């Protein structure tokens, strides 16, 4: 009961055929259900961005020798 068996799902996949063990309609319906999950509802809330604070440049320390 494995890859060479025509009666199992694994065998149908290996051969590339569809049948009772691997029904094409059932597979398509399953994929459709998995892909059609509704997206979570997200409320669009506008958040005011804080204005960027302009900072004075750092003073460089000079070393006098």
């Amino acid at each position: 009961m494995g890859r060479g068996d025509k009666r199992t799902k694994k065998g149908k996949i290996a051969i590339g055929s569809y049948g009772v063990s691997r029904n094409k309609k059932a597979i398509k319906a399953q994929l459709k259900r998995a892909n059609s999950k509704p997206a979570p509802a997200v409320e669009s809330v506008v958040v005011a961005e804080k204005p960027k604070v302009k900072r004075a440049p750092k003073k460089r320390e000079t070393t006098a020798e």
Side-chain angles (χ1 to χ4, degrees):
M1 295 263 180
R3 231 183 255 172
D5 192 6
K6 295 179 183 179
R7 297 182 189 179
T8 62
K9 182 178 178 181
K10 195 172 190 178
K12 296 282 185 184
I13 293 169
I15 296 166
S17 65
Y18 293 91
V20 177
S21 301
R22 186 175 175 234
N23 194 348
K24 201 171 206 177
K25 288 181 183 178
I27 292 169
K28 283 189 175 184
Q30 187 179 16
L31 289 172
K32 191 173 183 180
R33 273 186 264 123
N35 292 334
S36 67
K37 290 183 180 177
V42 178
E43 294 180 20
S44 59
V45 178
V46 178
V47 179
E49 293 184 21
K50 294 181 182 177
K52 292 186 178 182
V53 178
K54 291 187 177 180
R55 297 181 182 161
K58 291 184 179 180
K59 294 182 180 179
R60 293 187 180 181
E61 294 182 20
T62 56
T63 56
E65 289 186 29

